[in-house]
């Protein structure tokens, strides 16, 4: 037996597991003690190329819609201006995508279906700044391994086209063909060689809906490119190229979305990463029962991101009716080096380098835009922040004074007491049952009050027509915003617990809380580490003294770990204040004078989030003269 060199120890011999397969050349009759110094292998083996391709294809090709998405991204990377998609049997029988892009050179056609072959990147450093939709070099190879694939392409500088036929990753033919400049990719008999995979597909109708959604998702962010989707002889989608972004959004999301949404375009300073958020966010009153109209893009790539989704939900939390989901089409841009797109083979997930900055930017900009919506629908009204300006606003925009609320939310005085009504009546005496306004006189957005209906609704007349205001909902929002400014604007008062609340957490979370103790204290929570995997909550915000402290702390820690920030405490405090505001607001069947009605209207016009109450219900609606005329068939 060969001796180990002096000063060197031979590696310990590892006996095979009981029942393990013997390696090539091993003597099965030899006992472990008689085994040679280096045992033969046999348990670990290289997978065949077919099996490896099947595994890779399972990550990329989940259903026909996955292939459609990947082929569309390749066409867009080739600068196509017109793309046509033809499918049969919801893409199971065939998918054909034809574009007028740059095309593929004949010498590159075979490489196009090889795994990890791409023209988008050349080195690992390029992954830090990917600017194209595709870059992994897996889509065509994955499709070729589970279907019959044909690529016909003509490069813009080539005299003729070439066609490549591949079946189950094996080349069948490579020959010249007739084709205009551009590329056509046809995928036939999907999962023909893996019948078990085909059984997991849904009905043709369901798969067709997934394909339509994939086309809409890609087409939404590329208005200059025309898209046409056809199933057999039936045209499903027709989007002309050369459109503006608003035209494309209107075509895909509908006129009602554009009419009931707010345009947003916000950017950060270059020193903060040069982030930009633009697009359209639906009004809180224009929400959905399901999250079906939510489109979020990062540098033109449609993604599903937990961090961005959390930021959007937090921005809507104070204005959205419970159980409803906002509608939005948002486009987020930042330097390619600040986002990692190489997270998942489907490329619909990303990882941000400065995730907390991204979360705070998206949340802050959306919250401000929603907060600044005013009843006139024209955007924010310039009003000074509480205790931020030494000058009072004009009397026509001055909010009603709020009675002393220093005791507790449950003891709030009613907003419209006698002194308030007299003051506002003096300010707005001209608004009581006015005659026709003089030529050139401006009419307030919510107009002039004319009557009260059944003690529930205030009827007013503005320049457009009839305004109907839900008296309780409007007053509830006004009261709530005043309470938030007072109770949430200053330092958080804490209450010490008589018996600390113990928490058992993973040691990593305990380390996190210990390192971020100051941030938790700023949120009003004093948490101390009591062991390797245990914490103790000793102080909580005074307003939440009766809340479920254990659940509150757990939610707060989870948010801080996942998103770098948390609104859990603010959300619960706002929930308590919203309940107090509801009880402190005027009730149905309370008769208001014209002066009180006008005071309510004027205050609504200068109150944040005045378009909906604390529960997300609308506070007012406007019936234009044209719609009223239609009701009574005037002019017909």
């Amino acid at each position: 037996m060969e001796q180990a060199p002096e000063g060197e120890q031979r590696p310990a011999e590892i006996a095979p597991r009981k029942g393990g397969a013997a390696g090539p050349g091993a003597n099965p009759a030899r006992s472990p003690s008689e085994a040679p110094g280096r045992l033969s292998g046999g348990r670990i083996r290289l997978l065949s190329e077919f099996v490896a391709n099947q595994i890779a294809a399972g990550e990329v090709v989940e259903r026909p819609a996955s292939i459609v998405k990947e082929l569309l991204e390749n066409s867009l990377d080739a600068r196509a201006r017109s793309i046509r998609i033809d499918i049969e049997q919801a893409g199971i029988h065939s998918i054909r995508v034809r574009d007028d892009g740059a095309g593929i050179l004949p010498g590159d056609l075979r490489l196009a279906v090889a795994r990890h072959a791409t023209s988008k990147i050349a080195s690992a450093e390029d992954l830090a700044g990917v600017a194209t939709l595709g870059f992994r070099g897996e889509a065509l190879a994955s499709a070729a391994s589970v279907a019959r694939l044909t690529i016909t392409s003509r490069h813009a500088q080539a005299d003729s086209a070439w066609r490549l036929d591949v079946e189950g990753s094996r080349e069948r033919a490579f020959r010249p063909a007739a084709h205009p400049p551009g590329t056509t990719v046809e995928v036939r008999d999907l999962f023909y060689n893996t019948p078990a995979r085909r059984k997991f597909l849904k009905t043709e109708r369901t798969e067709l809906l997934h394909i339509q959604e994939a086309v809409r998702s890609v087409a939404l962010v590329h208005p200059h490119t025309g898209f046409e989707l056809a199933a057999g002889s039936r045209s499903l989608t027709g989007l002309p190229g050369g459109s503006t972004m608003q035209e494309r959004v209107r075509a895909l999301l509908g006129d009602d979305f554009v009419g009931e949404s707010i345009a947003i375009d916000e950017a950060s300073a270059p020193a903060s990463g040069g982030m930009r958020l633009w697009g359209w966010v639906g009004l809180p009153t224009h929400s959905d029962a399901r999250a079906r109209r939510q489109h979020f893009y990062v540098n033109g790539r449609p993604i599903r991101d937990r961090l961005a989704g959390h930021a959007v939900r937090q921005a809507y939390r104070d204005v959205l009716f419970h159980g409803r989901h906002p509608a939005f089409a948002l486009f987020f841009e930042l330097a390619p080096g600040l986002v990692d797109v190489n997270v998942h083979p489907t490329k619909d997930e990303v990882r941000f380098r400065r995730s907390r900055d991204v979360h705070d930017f998206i949340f802050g900009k959306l919250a401000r835009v929603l907060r600044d919506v005013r009843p006139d629908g024209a955007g924010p009204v310039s009003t000074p922040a509480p205790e931020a300006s030494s000058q009072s606003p004009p009397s026509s925009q001055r909010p009603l004074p709020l009675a002393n609320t220093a005791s507790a939310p449950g003891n709030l005085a009613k907003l419209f007491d006698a002194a308030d009504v007299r003051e506002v009546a003096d300010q707005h005496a001209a608004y009581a049952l006015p005659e026709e306004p003089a030529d050139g006189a401006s009419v307030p957005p919510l107009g002039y009050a004319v009557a009260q209906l059944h003690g529930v609704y205030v009827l007013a007349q503005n320049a457009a027509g009839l305004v109907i205001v839900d008296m309780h909902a409007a007053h509830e929002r006004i009261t709530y915003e005043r309470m938030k400014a007072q109770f949430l604007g200053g330092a958080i008062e804490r209450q010490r617990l008589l018996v600390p609340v113990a928490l058992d957490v993973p040691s990593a979370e305990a380390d996190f809380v210990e390192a971020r103790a100051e941030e938790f204290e700023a949120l009003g929570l004093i948490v101390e580490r009591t062991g390797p995997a245990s914490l103790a909550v000793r102080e909580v915000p005074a307003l939440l003294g009766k809340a479920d402290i254990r659940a509150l702390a757990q939610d707060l820690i989870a948010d801080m770990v996942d998103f770098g920030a948390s609104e859990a405490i603010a959300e619960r405090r706002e929930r308590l204040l919203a309940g107090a505001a509801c009880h402190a607001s005027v009730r149905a069947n309370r008769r208001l004078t014209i002066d009180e009605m006008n005071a309510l209207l004027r205050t609504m016009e200068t109150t944040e989030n005045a378009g909906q109450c604390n529960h997300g219900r609308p506070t007012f609606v406007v019936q234009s003269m044209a719609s009223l005329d239609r009701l009574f068939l005037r002019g017909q």
Side-chain angles (χ1 to χ4, degrees):
M1 179 178 296
E2 180 182 357
Q3 298 295 321
E6 185 177 354
E8 179 180 336
Q9 295 183 352
R10 185 183 303 279
E13 298 176 357
I14 302 176
R17 295 181 181 178
K18 185 176 181 180
N27 186 350
R30 180 177 295 173
S31 65
S33 60
E34 298 174 340
R38 186 166 297 170
L39 296 179
S40 300
R43 297 181 62 85
I44 299 176
R45 63 185 65 85
L46 289 173
L47 295 176
S48 67
E49 182 180 358
F50 176 78
V51 176
N53 288 339
Q54 292 293 310
I55 294 174
E59 296 176 324
V60 179
V61 182
E62 179 184 2
R63 56 186 353 134
S66 306
I67 293 180
V68 171
K69 172 181 176 290
E70 296 289 347
L71 296 181
L72 290 179
E73 290 181 349
N74 285 344
S75 296
L76 291 169
D77 284 339
R79 301 182 297 279
R81 286 294 174 261
S82 178
I83 304 175
R84 178 181 174 88
I85 308 103
D86 292 280
I87 59 176
E88 294 183 15
Q89 295 182 10
I92 301 172
H93 178 65
S94 73
I95 300 171
R96 183 169 64 251
V97 176
R98 184 168 186 167
D99 66 57
D100 61 351
I104 306 174
L105 290 169
D108 291 337
L109 203 54
R110 285 190 170 101
L111 276 176
V113 296
R115 288 186 61 195
H116 306 305
T118 179
S119 61
K120 316 297 175 56
I121 61 174
S123 63
E125 288 74 16
D126 295 339
L127 289 173
V130 175
T132 56
L133 296 175
F135 61 93
R136 296 174 63 97
E138 292 181 325
L140 292 177
S142 297
S145 67
V146 294
R148 296 180 172 92
L149 178 71
T150 298
I151 304 178
T152 308
S153 184
R154 178 182 173 185
H155 193 270
Q157 300 175 354
D159 296 332
S160 63
W162 282 77
R163 170 173 171 161
L164 176 67
D165 293 313
V166 182
E167 182 176 322
S169 297
R170 296 180 180 178
E171 181 180 320
R172 296 302 183 188
F174 183 59
R175 58 184 182 272
H179 194 279
T183 302
T184 297
V185 180
E186 185 173 3
V187 179
R188 303 180 307 280
D189 299 331
L190 183 61
F191 300 138
Y192 79 97
N193 53 356
T194 54
R197 291 281 305 279
R198 178 174 286 197
K199 293 180 181 178
F200 282 92
L201 296 178
K202 305 300 182 181
T203 64
E204 289 190 12
R205 175 176 175 79
T206 300
E207 296 299 337
L208 182 59
L209 290 175
H210 281 286
I211 290 176
Q212 290 179 284
E213 179 59 31
V215 174
R216 282 196 297 266
S217 179
V218 174
L220 183 63
V221 73
H222 295 280
H224 299 300
T225 302
F227 293 83
E228 186 174 357
L229 172 63
S233 60
R234 182 163 57 107
S235 178
L236 301 178
T237 302
L239 300 170
S243 304
T244 64
M245 181 58 76
Q246 185 166 353
E247 291 172 342
R248 182 57 58 87
V249 170
R250 188 184 300 274
L252 290 174
L253 302 184
D255 292 337
D256 58 338
F257 172 80
V258 176
E260 297 290 339
S261 62
I262 312 165
I264 177 176
D265 193 348
E266 301 284 344
S268 68
S272 301
M275 295 179 288
R276 182 192 178 198
L277 181 69
W278 61 280
W280 290 265
V281 291
L283 292 170
T285 51
H286 187 68
S287 56
D288 294 326
R290 295 182 295 110
R292 60 186 182 89
R293 290 188 298 175
Q294 297 185 349
H295 303 273
F296 191 83
Y297 298 81
V298 174
N299 291 346
R301 184 188 307 277
I303 68 160
R304 297 190 302 267
D305 185 70
R306 292 178 61 248
L307 182 139
H310 182 270
V312 173
R313 288 194 303 273
Q314 291 301 311
Y316 274 93
R317 77 171 188 272
D318 201 21
V319 294
L320 200 63
F321 196 71
H322 56 82
R324 305 289 293 181
H325 299 272
F328 55 83
L330 291 172
F331 308 92
F332 183 58
E333 299 173 359
L334 74 169
L338 297 179
V339 56
D340 181 10
V341 298
N342 187 30
V343 177
H344 193 273
T346 59
K347 304 187 297 292
D348 58 1
E349 298 178 16
V350 297
R351 185 179 295 112
F352 297 105
R353 178 176 298 180
R354 297 187 296 194
S355 57
R356 182 165 185 175
D357 292 345
V358 170
H359 180 279
D360 292 347
F361 176 78
I362 295 174
F363 165 72
K365 298 304 181 183
L366 286 181
R368 187 187 66 77
V369 168
L370 294 171
R371 189 172 59 244
D372 286 346
V373 174
R374 294 295 190 271
D376 60 359
V381 174
S382 178
T383 55
E387 302 180 4
S389 174
S390 59
Q391 298 181 353
S392 299
S395 61
S396 61
Q397 294 184 358
R398 185 181 302 151
L400 288 171
L402 183 64
N404 182 20
T405 57
S407 56
N411 298 326
L412 287 174
K414 288 290 189 286
L415 181 62
F416 291 113
D417 60 18
D420 293 339
V421 172
R422 284 196 298 271
E423 179 182 348
V424 176
D426 293 340
Q427 297 171 1
H428 305 292
Y431 292 157
L433 289 173
E435 301 293 336
E436 290 293 329
D439 293 340
S442 61
V443 179
L446 293 180
Y448 309 127
V450 295
Q452 187 179 14
L453 183 64
H454 290 294
V456 177
Y457 298 104
V458 172
L459 306 183
Q461 171 185 323
N462 69 356
L466 174 67
V467 180
I468 307 173
V469 178
D470 185 327
M471 180 179 70
H472 172 75
H475 189 202
E476 183 180 352
R477 170 57 71 177
I478 293 170
T479 306
Y480 174 54
E481 292 298 333
R482 300 283 181 78
M483 293 174 63
K484 278 204 309 181
Q486 177 172 351
F487 284 92
L488 307 182
I492 299 177
E493 296 184 4
R494 297 194 301 269
Q495 172 183 322
R496 190 169 186 84
L497 301 177
L498 293 176
V499 179
V501 176
L503 298 176
D504 292 328
V505 298
S507 58
E509 288 190 5
D511 295 338
F512 178 85
V513 172
E514 186 177 27
R516 309 278 287 271
E518 293 183 358
E519 296 183 36
F520 283 90
E521 183 177 353
L523 295 172
L525 207 69
I526 301 299
V527 187
E528 295 180 359
R529 187 170 188 172
T530 57
S534 60
L535 300 170
V537 181
R538 301 193 181 278
E539 296 183 30
V540 297
L543 197 60
L544 302 178
K546 296 182 179 181
D548 186 343
I549 304 303
R550 184 182 304 278
L552 173 65
Q554 290 173 341
D555 291 347
L556 179 63
I557 294 171
D559 285 351
M560 292 289 286
V561 171
D562 290 342
F563 308 111
S566 177
E567 298 294 327
I569 287 180
E571 184 176 354
R572 283 164 173 76
R573 287 189 301 167
E574 290 170 1
R575 196 179 305 162
L576 290 176
L577 293 180
C582 182
H583 293 297
S585 301
V586 292
R587 295 295 180 181
N589 298 321
R590 174 176 174 179
R591 298 295 176 179
L592 300 181
T593 66
I594 293 295
D595 292 335
E596 289 177 314
M597 296 180 207
N598 280 319
L600 177 65
L601 299 178
R602 301 292 79 77
T603 310
M604 286 179 64
E605 292 165 353
T606 58
T607 298
E608 294 178 347
N609 301 317
Q612 54 281 319
C613 75
N614 313 337
H615 310 295
R617 295 189 297 108
T619 58
F620 71 97
V621 295
V622 178
Q623 289 288 328
S624 66
M625 289 300 296
S627 62
L628 294 175
D629 289 343
R630 285 194 297 271
L631 288 176
F632 294 94
L633 305 180
R634 289 178 59 87
Q636 299 185 15

